[in-house]
Structures are given as C-alpha cells and as structure tokens.
Amino acid sequence: MNADFLSPIKDSVVAHLASQQDKSLGNFIRFHTEEGGLPDLGNVEIAIFGVQEDRNSQDNFGCGEDLHFIRKKLYQLFPGNWHTAIADLGNVKKGNTVSDTYFAVKEIVTTLLKQNVIPIIIGGGQDITYVNYRAYDSLEQTVNITTVDSRFDLGNLEDELTSQSYLSKIIMQEPSNLFNYCNVGYQTYFNSQEEINLLDNLFFDAYRLGNSKELESVEPAFRNSDIVSIDIGAIRQSEAPANNNASPNGFFGEEICAIARYAGISDKVSSFGIYEYNPKHDKNHQTAHLIAQMIWYFIEGVNFRVNDYPFSGKENYQKFTVLLEDDDPLTFYKSNKSGRWWIEINILSNNKYKRHALVPCTYKDYTEATKQVIPEKWYKAMKKMV
C-alpha cells in the first residue's frame, strides 16, 4: 500500500490513548504513526481510515476535518469478546484536486479488498461512496449497495459528482457493476416523486424512515449488500448535530447502532463507510461519540459472523417449498447456524447473476408466501436477472 496517500494518526490521539485503561480498544489496534509508519496488515480483518475531503460535499464544507475526535471516542471504548485484528491506517490527505483524493481512496480500498480486509471509511462527503464502488471494478463482480440516507442523492446525470448526485453516476456510468441498490430511511419530502418512481422502475429497494424503524424488516437489505454507506444526516439532529444538512427527523442513536451491527454481521458486506461528519457543528463531540459507537457495533457484528450464504452449502439449510396456485413454487431456505431466511431465484447455472440467486428475506416473507402473497423482493430480483 502506498504510504504517500496516508497521513499518520495525530500524536494527540496516541497521547490520549496512554491515559486510558489497559483493556480499552485502542490498546489492541495497530496504528499508522509518524515513527512506526504503516502497520503490518498480516492477519488484519478490519482497517479504518479517514478521508479529509469536503470539496464535493454539498452544503457541508468541513466534513473530513478533525477525525481524531472520533478516534479518541472509539479507542477509549472496551472491546467485546472479539478475535478480529484491527488496524488504523490514518487519513487520506486532501489531494491537489478532488480527483487526486478519489484516486488515493480507490487504490487503498482496492488493495484492502484484494487482501480480504474490510475497510471502514470515516469522514469526507458521501460522494466517496462512488469511489468505494469503483474500487470493486477490479473484482469483476456485480455489486449490491445499501445506503442509510434521508435522500437518494440521485441528482442529474449531467451534474458533477457530488454528495447529492453520486447515485446517478453509479447507476449510469460504465463499467456498470451494480446489481441492486437499496435505500434505508429515506424521508419522502426530501425526494421528488419522479426519483421515487425511478427507483421503483429500476426494481431497486427503498424503505421509508417509518418502515425502517421496524429494524428486523430491513436486516435482509444489509445481509444482501457488499457496500454499506451511512450519511450522518440520516440520524436526527438532536442525536447527531455534526452535519449542516441535519434534520429534526431521522434514526435514533440506538437504531443506527443496531443497523451498524446488522451491516457487520452480514457475511457479504466487505466495506463500510460513515460520511458527512462535520465537527464544526458537533456539540460536546456528541456525533463523534455516536460514530465511535457505530463503528464498535459494526466490529461487534463482524466478530459474530457465522459464514452463512454465500459461504455455506445448501446442506446447512432447511428447505421449505411453498406451492402457489397460479405460478411455480417458491423455495425458501433457513440457516441451521443463524436461523436466517433466504428465498431462491431460479436462474440458469451460467447466469452472471448466480451469486445473487439466494435473496435474503425474513420469516414473515415465508409466512406471507404460504398465504399466496409473493414477496416483493423476489419479484424485483427476478426482474433484474432475466
């Protein structure tokens, strides 16, 4: 990995760590320091790095600064009963141009993915999600993205890449590796009906904020994702004020932490980003503290992965077949390890979407199917595969 892309962790963070208890999380992290350089990534499963880039973050300039506040809060927490080795690579420096920063982020994420290391990206605008997505080009596979955001951030295709227009670039620009996009927590009054209809016509998934608060119903969205991107603006302002676009409505702190854990426990999620943190608006470092707890819950989730689909053979599942009156039967699988459910999409064995043939679902989807109600997620997945 090119150390020129990354600046070491601030000395104040290292000094702060010295005042913490021996069992605190920071004492188990491999750090990028001025003296020691980049840490050895041997056996590392998770690597944290920040992005000091705000030039394409709309109406939130200053995001990406002072990420040491998050680190101080994170490293004074106590780890759970974890086995995961963690590294902190420092921060991606702001380049001479935004494109320079993007190039550095893409190279770092690509390197980590090829080493089977999960990157946790903090800071910067949510336009970094596009760069994260482009890092998967080298893997030559289709990708699922889930964003936790009050807005879709579609913008117009002719717009420059920004934090509020990156999604249209992901959907339209070549090479197109996107299989499914899912939004969790959108607020209708922030999105035009044309945008809502467009996502529906593309057979993508979107959960309104009210529906998203039934957390078990959105868990399959994270289980189905390769990339999870969280905009701090999706959290209500009273819980996370460090965002110039913060809104009175949004997720509560404990809800966003549960979501972070869902992302971590997903066997499929291979990168995780928390964006739009702006310390200029952070009262008493409250948002930094919440982001630290979100990261903690994500790491907690990773430690409790059970290697269900796509890593486990079908012999480790119970199979349930639901006969439909006017259609082919639906096949469900329940994991013997975790009790989680999937629904099968019948496709040709040589179909390029084979890795998406089992779609995560809930027990409720199964019970609804027994009442002859076909799950919408099955219908949408079928439409994208044919």
Side-chain angles (χ1 to χ4, degrees):
M1 184 176 296
N2 193 335
D4 293 337
F5 293 152
L6 292 156
S7 59
I9 294 165
K10 290 175 71 72
D11 291 339
S12 62
V13 176
V14 179
H16 178 75
L17 183 59
S19 67
Q20 302 303 309
Q21 297 187 39
D22 292 342
K23 299 296 184 181
S24 63
L25 178 58
N27 289 295
F28 299 92
I29 304 289
R30 304 180 195 179
F31 292 109
H32 176 194
T33 61
E34 193 74 54
E35 292 184 3
L38 282 172
D40 178 16
L41 294 181
N43 299 319
V44 166
E45 295 179 56
I46 294 174
I48 300 167
F49 70 91
V51 182
Q52 296 175 314
E53 180 60 75
D54 63 356
R55 284 171 285 190
N56 280 349
S57 177
Q58 290 197 320
D59 300 324
N60 197 31
F61 297 114
C63 65
E65 297 178 3
D66 295 329
L67 299 176
H68 57 278
F69 290 134
I70 299 173
R71 288 184 164 98
K72 285 182 178 180
K73 295 296 185 182
L74 175 63
Y75 299 141
Q76 70 187 27
L77 302 177
F78 290 96
N81 185 21
W82 296 349
H83 54 76
T84 300
I86 307 166
D88 190 330
L89 306 180
N91 297 324
V92 174
K93 307 169 187 176
K94 183 182 284 189
N96 292 328
T97 67
V98 179
S99 296
D100 292 337
T101 308
Y102 288 167
F103 178 81
V105 173
K106 180 182 175 183
E107 289 297 302
I108 292 167
V109 174
T110 298
T111 300
L112 293 174
L113 291 176
K114 288 184 175 180
Q115 296 183 28
N116 293 318
V117 177
I118 301 171
I120 297 179
I121 307 169
I122 55 175
Q126 206 177 13
D127 48 297
I128 301 299
T129 304
Y130 172 80
V131 186
N132 187 9
Y133 162 73
R134 286 271 75 105
Y136 284 75
D137 291 348
S138 61
L139 302 185
E140 298 181 350
Q141 67 180 42
T142 52
V143 175
N144 291 342
I145 299 175
T146 293
T147 64
V148 182
D149 200 341
S150 60
R151 297 170 171 85
F152 297 141
D153 297 327
L154 268 165
N156 297 310
L157 186 59
E158 61 272 13
D159 292 343
E160 294 293 323
L161 175 60
T162 71
S163 61
Q164 293 185 13
S165 68
Y166 70 90
L167 182 56
S168 62
K169 308 296 184 291
I170 290 175
I171 294 172
M172 299 300 296
Q173 289 189 356
E174 296 292 338
S176 179
N177 301 323
L178 181 67
F179 177 74
N180 190 57
Y181 167 78
C182 177
N183 172 282
V184 173
Y186 81 92
Q187 297 176 39
T188 308
Y189 38 72
F190 287 141
N191 302 276
S192 70
Q193 284 301 310
E194 289 78 10
E195 290 177 325
I196 296 171
N197 293 338
L198 175 61
L199 291 191
D200 190 54
N201 291 336
L202 291 171
F203 305 110
F204 291 154
D205 302 309
Y207 297 87
R208 291 180 64 174
L209 176 62
N211 295 331
S212 301
K213 286 176 173 285
E214 298 175 7
L215 294 177
E216 289 187 4
S217 68
V218 298
E219 180 274 331
F222 298 98
R223 193 167 9 125
N224 199 32
S225 298
D226 301 283
I227 299 170
V228 173
S229 168
I230 299 179
D231 186 331
I232 282 298
I235 307 166
R236 59 177 55 208
Q237 187 176 37
S238 59
E239 307 274 298
N243 183 296
N244 197 47
N245 298 311
S247 165
N249 287 314
F251 289 104
F252 286 101
E254 64 270 24
E255 292 170 338
I256 200 69
C257 285
I259 283 171
R261 190 179 189 279
Y262 279 148
I265 207 169
S266 163
D267 295 305
K268 204 171 184 179
V269 170
S270 52
S271 60
F272 180 71
I274 304 172
Y275 304 106
E276 301 289 339
Y277 165 71
N278 194 329
K280 292 189 298 184
H281 306 291
D282 202 10
K283 183 178 180 181
N284 298 325
H285 308 308
Q286 177 177 322
T287 312
H289 204 163
L290 178 56
I291 292 173
Q293 293 182 7
M294 291 165 62
I295 295 171
W296 189 97
Y297 273 101
F298 178 80
I299 299 172
E300 170 92 343
V302 171
N303 275 270
F304 285 97
R305 290 185 175 185
V306 295
N307 288 327
D308 276 332
Y309 181 78
F311 303 102
S312 183
K314 290 183 179 178
E315 65 275 6
N316 295 313
Y317 299 83
Q318 298 177 56
K319 181 179 178 180
F320 298 83
T321 301
V322 177
L323 301 178
L324 300 177
E325 294 177 355
D326 301 317
D327 212 331
D328 293 332
L330 296 181
T331 303
F332 289 83
Y333 291 90
K334 180 184 178 182
S335 169
N336 292 330
K337 294 181 179 179
S338 66
R340 296 183 294 191
W341 289 76
W342 284 260
I343 184 172
E344 186 172 43
I345 309 297
N346 294 320
I347 58 175
L348 299 175
S349 59
N350 61 348
N351 190 304
K352 67 177 181 177
Y353 299 128
K354 186 178 179 180
R355 70 185 292 264
H356 304 287
L358 288 183
V359 177
C361 64
T362 64
Y363 174 66
K364 182 178 179 181
D365 290 320
Y366 167 70
T367 58
E368 288 293 305
T370 62
K371 301 173 185 175
Q372 304 297 302
V373 178
I374 298 177
E376 186 178 12
K377 52 178 64 75
W378 179 89
Y379 173 76
K380 288 184 174 181
M382 278 291 294
K383 287 294 184 180
K384 289 197 287 285
M385 290 186 187
V386 296

Coordinates of all heavy atoms in Angstrom, one line a residue, residues 128-173:
I128 N -17.8 9.9 -1.7 CA -16.8 8.8 -1.6 C -17.4 7.4 -1.8 O -16.7 6.5 -2.2 CB -16.1 8.9 -0.2 CG1 -15.5 10.3 0.0 CG2 -15.1 7.8 0.0 CD1 -14.4 10.6 -1.0
T129 N -18.7 7.3 -1.6 CA -19.4 6.0 -1.9 C -19.2 5.6 -3.3 O -19.0 4.4 -3.6 CB -20.9 6.2 -1.6 OG1 -21.1 6.6 -0.3 CG2 -21.6 4.8 -1.8
Y130 N -19.2 6.6 -4.2 CA -19.0 6.3 -5.7 C -17.6 5.7 -5.8 O -17.3 4.7 -6.6 CB -19.2 7.5 -6.5 CG -18.8 7.3 -8.0 CD1 -19.6 6.7 -8.9 CD2 -17.5 7.7 -8.4 CE1 -19.2 6.4 -10.2 CE2 -17.1 7.5 -9.7 CZ -18.0 6.9 -10.6 OH -17.6 6.7 -11.9
V131 N -16.6 6.3 -5.2 CA -15.2 5.9 -5.3 C -15.0 4.5 -4.7 O -14.4 3.6 -5.3 CB -14.3 6.9 -4.6 CG1 -12.8 6.5 -4.8 CG2 -14.5 8.3 -5.0
N132 N -15.7 4.3 -3.6 CA -15.7 2.9 -3.0 C -16.3 1.9 -3.9 O -15.7 0.8 -4.1 CB -16.5 3.0 -1.7 CG -16.5 1.7 -0.9 OD1 -15.7 0.8 -1.1 ND2 -17.3 1.6 0.1
Y133 N -17.3 2.2 -4.6 CA -18.0 1.3 -5.6 C -17.0 1.0 -6.7 O -16.9 -0.1 -7.2 CB -19.2 2.0 -6.1 CG -19.8 1.4 -7.4 CD1 -20.4 0.2 -7.4 CD2 -19.8 2.2 -8.5 CE1 -20.9 -0.3 -8.6 CE2 -20.3 1.7 -9.7 CZ -20.9 0.5 -9.8 OH -21.4 0.0 -11.0
R134 N -16.3 2.1 -7.2 CA -15.4 1.9 -8.3 C -14.2 1.0 -8.0 O -13.6 0.3 -8.8 CB -14.9 3.2 -8.8 CG -15.9 4.0 -9.6 CD -15.8 3.7 -11.1 NE -16.4 2.4 -11.5 CZ -17.6 2.3 -12.1 NH1 -18.3 3.4 -12.4 NH2 -18.0 1.1 -12.5
A135 N -13.9 0.9 -6.7 CA -12.8 0.0 -6.3 C -13.1 -1.5 -6.5 O -12.2 -2.3 -6.6 CB -12.5 0.2 -4.8
Y136 N -14.4 -1.8 -6.7 CA -14.8 -3.2 -6.9 C -14.7 -3.6 -8.4 O -14.9 -4.7 -8.7 CB -16.3 -3.4 -6.5 CG -16.4 -3.5 -5.0 CD1 -16.4 -2.4 -4.1 CD2 -16.7 -4.7 -4.4 CE1 -16.5 -2.5 -2.8 CE2 -16.9 -4.8 -3.0 CZ -16.8 -3.7 -2.2 OH -16.9 -3.8 -0.8
D137 N -14.3 -2.6 -9.2 CA -14.2 -2.9 -10.7 C -13.1 -4.0 -10.8 O -13.3 -4.9 -11.7 CB -13.7 -1.7 -11.4 CG -14.8 -0.6 -11.5 OD1 -16.0 -0.9 -11.2 OD2 -14.5 0.5 -11.9
S138 N -12.1 -4.0 -10.0 CA -11.0 -5.0 -10.2 C -11.4 -6.4 -9.8 O -10.8 -7.4 -10.2 CB -9.8 -4.5 -9.4 OG -10.1 -4.5 -8.0
L139 N -12.5 -6.5 -9.0 CA -13.0 -7.8 -8.6 C -13.9 -8.5 -9.7 O -14.2 -9.7 -9.6 CB -13.8 -7.7 -7.3 CG -13.1 -7.1 -6.1 CD1 -14.0 -7.1 -4.9 CD2 -11.7 -7.8 -5.8
E140 N -14.3 -7.7 -10.6 CA -15.1 -8.2 -11.8 C -16.3 -9.0 -11.3 O -16.5 -10.2 -11.7 CB -14.2 -9.1 -12.7 CG -13.1 -8.3 -13.3 CD -12.2 -9.2 -14.2 OE1 -12.4 -10.4 -14.2 OE2 -11.4 -8.6 -15.0
Q141 N -17.1 -8.4 -10.5 CA -18.3 -9.0 -10.0 C -19.4 -7.9 -9.9 O -19.0 -6.7 -9.7 CB -18.1 -9.7 -8.6 CG -17.8 -8.6 -7.5 CD -17.7 -9.3 -6.1 OE1 -17.0 -10.3 -6.0 NE2 -18.2 -8.7 -5.1
T142 N -20.6 -8.3 -9.9 CA -21.7 -7.3 -9.7 C -21.8 -7.0 -8.2 O -21.5 -7.9 -7.3 CB -23.0 -7.9 -10.2 OG1 -23.3 -9.2 -9.7 CG2 -23.1 -7.9 -11.7
V143 N -22.3 -5.8 -7.9 CA -22.2 -5.3 -6.5 C -23.6 -4.9 -6.0 O -24.3 -4.3 -6.8 CB -21.2 -4.1 -6.4 CG1 -21.2 -3.5 -5.1 CG2 -19.8 -4.6 -6.8
N144 N -23.9 -5.1 -4.8 CA -25.1 -4.5 -4.1 C -24.6 -3.4 -3.1 O -23.7 -3.6 -2.4 CB -25.8 -5.6 -3.3 CG -26.5 -6.7 -4.3 OD1 -26.6 -6.4 -5.4 ND2 -26.8 -7.8 -3.7
I145 N -25.4 -2.3 -3.2 CA -25.1 -1.2 -2.3 C -26.3 -0.9 -1.5 O -27.4 -0.8 -2.0 CB -24.7 0.1 -3.1 CG1 -23.4 -0.2 -4.0 CG2 -24.5 1.3 -2.2 CD1 -23.1 1.0 -4.9
T146 N -26.1 -0.7 -0.2 CA -27.2 -0.2 0.7 C -26.7 1.1 1.3 O -25.6 1.2 1.9 CB -27.6 -1.2 1.8 OG1 -28.2 -2.3 1.2 CG2 -28.6 -0.6 2.7
T147 N -27.5 2.2 1.2 CA -27.2 3.5 1.8 C -28.3 3.7 2.9 O -29.4 3.4 2.7 CB -27.2 4.6 0.8 OG1 -28.5 4.8 0.2 CG2 -26.2 4.4 -0.3
V148 N -27.8 4.3 4.0 CA -28.7 4.8 5.0 C -28.7 6.3 4.9 O -27.7 6.9 5.2 CB -28.3 4.3 6.4 CG1 -29.2 4.8 7.5 CG2 -28.1 2.8 6.5
D149 N -29.8 6.8 4.4 CA -29.8 8.2 4.0 C -31.2 8.7 3.9 O -32.1 8.0 3.5 CB -29.1 8.4 2.6 CG -28.6 9.8 2.3 OD1 -29.1 10.7 3.0 OD2 -27.8 9.9 1.5
S150 N -31.5 10.0 4.3 CA -32.8 10.6 4.1 C -33.1 11.0 2.7 O -34.2 11.2 2.3 CB -32.9 11.8 5.0 OG -32.0 12.8 4.7
R151 N -32.0 11.0 1.8 CA -32.2 11.4 0.4 C -31.5 10.3 -0.4 O -30.6 9.6 0.0 CB -31.5 12.7 0.2 CG -32.0 13.9 0.9 CD -31.1 15.1 0.7 NE -31.8 16.3 1.3 CZ -31.7 16.7 2.5 NH1 -31.1 16.0 3.4 NH2 -32.3 17.9 2.9
F152 N -32.0 10.2 -1.7 CA -31.5 9.2 -2.6 C -30.1 9.7 -3.2 O -29.4 8.9 -3.7 CB -32.4 8.9 -3.8 CG -33.7 8.3 -3.3 CD1 -34.9 8.7 -3.9 CD2 -33.7 7.4 -2.3 CE1 -36.1 8.1 -3.5 CE2 -34.9 6.8 -1.9 CZ -36.1 7.1 -2.5
D153 N -29.9 11.0 -3.3 CA -28.7 11.6 -3.9 C -28.5 11.2 -5.3 O -27.4 10.9 -5.8 CB -27.5 11.2 -3.0 CG -27.5 11.7 -1.6 OD1 -28.1 12.8 -1.4 OD2 -27.0 11.0 -0.7
L154 N -29.6 11.2 -6.1 CA -29.6 10.9 -7.5 C -29.0 12.1 -8.3 O -28.1 11.9 -9.1 CB -31.0 10.6 -8.0 CG -31.4 9.1 -8.0 CD1 -32.9 9.0 -8.2 CD2 -30.7 8.3 -9.0
G155 N -29.5 13.3 -8.1 CA -29.0 14.4 -8.9 C -29.4 14.2 -10.3 O -30.3 13.4 -10.7
N156 N -28.7 14.8 -11.2 CA -28.9 14.6 -12.7 C -27.6 14.1 -13.2 O -26.5 14.4 -12.7 CB -29.2 16.0 -13.4 CG -30.5 16.5 -12.9 OD1 -31.5 15.8 -12.9 ND2 -30.5 17.8 -12.5
L157 N -27.7 13.3 -14.3 CA -26.5 12.6 -14.9 C -25.5 13.7 -15.3 O -24.3 13.4 -15.2 CB -27.0 11.7 -16.0 CG -25.8 10.9 -16.6 CD1 -25.2 9.9 -15.6 CD2 -26.4 10.1 -17.8
E158 N -26.0 14.8 -15.8 CA -25.0 15.8 -16.3 C -24.4 16.6 -15.2 O -23.4 17.4 -15.4 CB -25.7 16.8 -17.2 CG -26.9 17.6 -16.7 CD -28.2 16.9 -16.7 OE1 -28.2 15.6 -17.0 OE2 -29.3 17.5 -16.5
D159 N -24.8 16.4 -13.9 CA -24.2 17.1 -12.8 C -22.8 16.6 -12.5 O -22.5 15.4 -12.8 CB -25.1 17.0 -11.5 CG -26.4 17.7 -11.6 OD1 -26.6 18.5 -12.4 OD2 -27.3 17.3 -10.8
E160 N -22.0 17.5 -11.9 CA -20.7 17.0 -11.5 C -20.9 16.0 -10.3 O -21.9 16.1 -9.6 CB -19.8 18.2 -11.0 CG -19.4 19.1 -12.1 CD -18.5 18.5 -13.1 OE1 -17.6 17.7 -12.6 OE2 -18.6 18.8 -14.3
L161 N -20.0 15.2 -10.1 CA -20.0 14.2 -9.0 C -20.0 15.0 -7.6 O -19.0 15.6 -7.3 CB -18.9 13.2 -9.0 CG -18.8 12.2 -7.9 CD1 -20.0 11.4 -7.8 CD2 -17.5 11.4 -8.0
T162 N -21.1 14.8 -6.9 CA -21.1 15.5 -5.5 C -21.8 14.5 -4.6 O -22.3 13.4 -5.0 CB -21.9 16.8 -5.5 OG1 -23.3 16.5 -5.7 CG2 -21.5 17.7 -6.6
S163 N -21.9 14.9 -3.3 CA -22.5 14.1 -2.3 C -24.0 13.9 -2.5 O -24.6 13.0 -2.0 CB -22.3 14.7 -0.9 OG -22.8 16.0 -0.8
Q164 N -24.6 14.8 -3.4 CA -26.0 14.7 -3.7 C -26.3 14.3 -5.1 O -27.5 14.4 -5.6 CB -26.7 16.0 -3.3 CG -26.7 16.3 -1.8 CD -27.4 17.5 -1.4 OE1 -28.2 18.1 -2.2 NE2 -27.2 18.0 -0.2
S165 N -25.3 13.8 -5.8 CA -25.6 13.3 -7.2 C -24.8 12.1 -7.6 O -24.8 11.6 -8.7 CB -25.2 14.4 -8.2 OG -23.8 14.6 -8.2
Y166 N -24.2 11.4 -6.6 CA -23.3 10.3 -6.9 C -24.1 9.1 -7.3 O -23.5 8.3 -8.1 CB -22.4 10.0 -5.6 CG -23.2 9.3 -4.5 CD1 -23.4 8.0 -4.4 CD2 -23.8 10.1 -3.5 CE1 -24.1 7.4 -3.4 CE2 -24.5 9.6 -2.5 CZ -24.7 8.2 -2.4 OH -25.4 7.6 -1.4
L167 N -25.3 8.9 -6.9 CA -26.0 7.7 -7.2 C -26.3 7.6 -8.7 O -26.2 6.5 -9.3 CB -27.4 7.6 -6.5 CG -28.2 6.3 -6.7 CD1 -27.4 5.1 -6.4 CD2 -29.5 6.4 -5.9
S168 N -26.6 8.7 -9.4 CA -26.8 8.6 -10.8 C -25.5 8.2 -11.6 O -25.6 7.5 -12.6 CB -27.3 10.0 -11.4 OG -26.3 11.0 -11.2
K169 N -24.4 8.5 -11.0 CA -23.1 8.1 -11.6 C -22.9 6.6 -11.4 O -22.5 5.9 -12.3 CB -21.9 8.8 -11.0 CG -22.1 10.4 -11.0 CD -22.1 10.9 -12.4 CE -22.2 12.4 -12.4 NZ -23.4 13.0 -11.9
I170 N -23.3 6.1 -10.3 CA -23.2 4.6 -10.0 C -24.1 3.9 -11.0 O -23.7 2.8 -11.5 CB -23.5 4.3 -8.5 CG1 -22.4 4.8 -7.6 CG2 -23.7 2.8 -8.3 CD1 -22.7 4.7 -6.1
I171 N -25.3 4.4 -11.2 CA -26.3 3.7 -12.0 C -25.9 3.7 -13.5 O -26.0 2.7 -14.2 CB -27.7 4.3 -11.8 CG1 -28.2 4.0 -10.3 CG2 -28.7 3.7 -12.8 CD1 -29.5 4.7 -10.0
M172 N -25.4 4.8 -13.9 CA -25.3 5.1 -15.4 C -23.9 4.9 -16.0 O -23.8 4.5 -17.1 CB -25.8 6.5 -15.7 CG -27.3 6.7 -15.4 SD -28.4 5.6 -16.2 CE -28.2 6.1 -17.9
Q173 N -22.9 5.2 -15.2 CA -21.5 5.2 -15.8 C -21.0 3.8 -16.0 O -21.2 2.9 -15.1 CB -20.6 6.1 -15.0 CG -20.9 7.6 -15.1 CD -19.8 8.4 -14.4 OE1 -18.9 8.0 -13.8 NE2 -20.0 9.7 -14.6

